[in-house]
């Protein structure tokens, strides 16, 4: 049998206050300082995520923590949606980055924190299935875009291969074709942005301009040799 730990003075006072008036009960956010520290260590040491990305994750989660506790709400899809709606000064793109941080934390906690898993295993992941508005300019741009046909793609790839001194362009073409990333995203990738995401070699795309926003993108087996070569040959 595990020995019980005595309550702290602060806990005694909190319990006494709640017994005197149930309205004094305050919901505690699951984003505790201890969990955020462990999450940061896991991202850094196990997944190889760069410090800048980790700091952004923690900052966003701390803001959610403060809002949830001030509103005295349980963590849920509805409370996360209310929180997103309160961020009136942020663009949909930035809100998607906040959701990505929440998803990363939730995924980690459900696998690595027994207390968290026991507490939240019966609720649906609160950071999934959120929808974001699309501005009119984005809608017009989407309507104008047409996908390449398979024949178009083959023709472009063959042209890359047959053009002298265009090996970099060929690599870029293949990475784009097998990742769905924009040319700007691919060109900004560095060695430290290729991480181990739960045993899957992935791109840590944190400067995204796409609808999917910031994300981890698994490296397709077809381009894995290219990525491994580029890691050895460049930064």
């Amino acid at each position: 049998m595990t020995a019980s730990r005595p309550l702290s003075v602060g806990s005694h006072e909190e319990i006494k206050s709640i017994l005197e008036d149930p309205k004094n009960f305050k919901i505690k956010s699951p984003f505790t300082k201890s969990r955020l520290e462990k999450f940061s260590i896991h991202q850094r040491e196990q997944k190889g995520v760069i410090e800048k990305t980790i700091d952004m994750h923690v900052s966003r989660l701390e803001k959610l923590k403060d809002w949830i506790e001030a509103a005295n709400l349980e963590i849920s899809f509805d409370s996360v949606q209310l929180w997103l709606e309160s961020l009136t000064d942020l663009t949909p793109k930035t809100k998607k980055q906040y959701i990505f941080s929440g998803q990363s934390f939730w995924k980690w906690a459900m696998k690595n924190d027994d207390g968290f898993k026991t507490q939240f295993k019966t609720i649906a992941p609160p950071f999934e299935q959120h929808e974001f508005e699309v501005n009119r300019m984005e809608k017009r741009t989407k309507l104008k875009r047409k996908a390449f046909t398979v024949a178009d793609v083959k023709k472009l790839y063959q042209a890359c291969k047959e053009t002298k001194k265009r090996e970099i362009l060929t690599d870029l073409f293949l990475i784009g074709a097998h990742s769905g990333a924009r040319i700007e995203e691919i060109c900004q990738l560095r060695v430290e942005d290729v991480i181990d995401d739960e045993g899957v070699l992935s791109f840590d795309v944190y400067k995204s301009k796409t609808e999917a926003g910031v994300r981890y993108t698994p490296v397709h087996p077809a381009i894995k040799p290219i990525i491994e070569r580029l890691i050895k040959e460049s930064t």
Side-chain angles (χ1 to χ4, degrees), residues 23 51 73-74 91 96 156:
K23 292 181 179 179
E51 205 65 38
L73 294 173
E74 298 278 4
T91 65
K96 290 171 189 174
L156 288 168

Side-chain angles (χ1 to χ4, degrees), residues 56-71:
M56 288 192 296
H57 281 325
V58 172
S59 175
R60 294 165 188 156
L61 292 168
E62 287 177 338
K63 289 176 182 177
L64 173 56
K65 173 183 182 295
D66 292 342
W67 186 89
I68 285 225
E69 291 183 348

Side-chain angles (χ1 to χ4, degrees), residues 67 78-89 95:
W67 186 89
D78 291 337
S79 61
V80 171
Q81 184 62 40
L82 287 172
W83 173 61
L84 291 172
E85 291 172 359
S86 75
L87 303 174
T88 55
D89 57 333
K95 290 180 181 180

Side-chain angles (χ1 to χ4, degrees), residues 1-228:
M1 180 180 293
T2 304
S4 59
R5 292 179 296 177
L7 293 172
S8 65
V9 174
S11 296
H12 276 294
E13 293 299 322
E14 182 178 2
I15 293 171
K16 181 180 178 181
S17 173
I18 294 170
L19 289 174
E20 292 174 351
D21 185 352
K23 292 181 179 179
N24 290 328
F25 173 72
K26 298 296 181 183
I27 294 173
K28 297 292 179 65
S29 159
F31 309 107
T32 63
K33 181 178 180 180
S34 174
R35 282 188 177 130
L36 290 177
E37 288 177 350
K38 292 176 182 177
F39 169 67
S40 297
I41 292 171
H42 181 268
Q43 293 283 299
R44 183 184 306 111
E45 298 182 358
Q46 301 298 319
K47 301 184 73 171
V49 178
I50 64 173
E51 205 65 38
K52 179 179 179 181
T53 302
I54 295 171
D55 290 343
M56 288 192 296
H57 281 325
V58 172
S59 175
R60 294 165 188 156
L61 292 168
E62 287 177 338
K63 289 176 182 177
L64 173 56
K65 173 183 182 295
D66 292 342
W67 186 89
I68 285 225
E69 291 183 348
N72 204 31
L73 294 173
E74 298 278 4
I75 186 71
S76 66
F77 175 90
D78 291 337
S79 61
V80 171
Q81 184 62 40
L82 287 172
W83 173 61
L84 291 172
E85 291 172 359
S86 75
L87 303 174
T88 55
D89 57 333
L90 299 184
T91 65
K93 174 189 169 184
T94 302
K95 290 180 181 180
K96 290 171 189 174
Q97 294 172 343
Y98 277 62
I99 285 294
F100 176 67
S101 294
Q103 290 172 330
S104 297
F105 175 87
W106 199 268
K107 181 179 178 181
W108 165 81
M110 290 300 286
K111 287 187 176 182
N112 298 282
D113 189 310
D114 291 338
F116 186 96
K117 183 177 180 180
T118 298
Q119 184 177 359
F120 297 107
K121 64 182 179 181
T122 60
I123 76 167
F127 297 98
E128 304 289 342
Q129 306 301 320
H130 290 276
E131 296 183 357
F132 298 89
E133 62 202 24
V134 179
N135 63 41
R136 292 180 181 178
M137 183 59 71
E138 288 178 326
K139 288 180 180 178
R140 285 200 293 269
T141 301
K142 283 182 180 180
L143 291 173
K144 293 178 182 178
R145 290 178 179 168
K146 292 180 66 177
F148 286 110
T149 64
V150 174
D152 290 334
V153 175
K154 290 181 177 179
K155 185 176 181 179
L156 288 168
Y157 174 56
Q158 197 61 36
C160 289
K161 286 179 64 179
E162 293 175 356
T163 304
K164 292 183 179 180
K165 298 182 180 179
R166 301 312 295 270
E167 293 83 1
I168 293 176
L169 179 61
T170 305
D171 287 343
L172 183 63
F173 184 92
L174 289 172
I175 294 171
H178 289 86
S179 69
R182 288 186 169 202
I183 187 170
E184 296 94 338
E185 294 173 341
I186 299 170
C187 290
Q188 291 177 41
L189 287 171
R190 301 183 65 82
V191 170
E192 59 264 29
D193 298 329
V194 182
I195 66 168
D196 180 349
D197 182 21
E198 308 295 341
V200 179
L201 191 67
S202 304
F203 296 124
D204 179 9
V205 185
Y206 61 92
K207 297 178 182 178
S208 173
K209 294 182 180 178
T210 63
E211 280 195 18
V214 177
R215 65 204 183 277
Y216 295 146
T217 301
V219 174
H220 193 284
I223 59 171
K224 188 175 180 181
I226 296 174
I227 301 306
E228 292 174 342

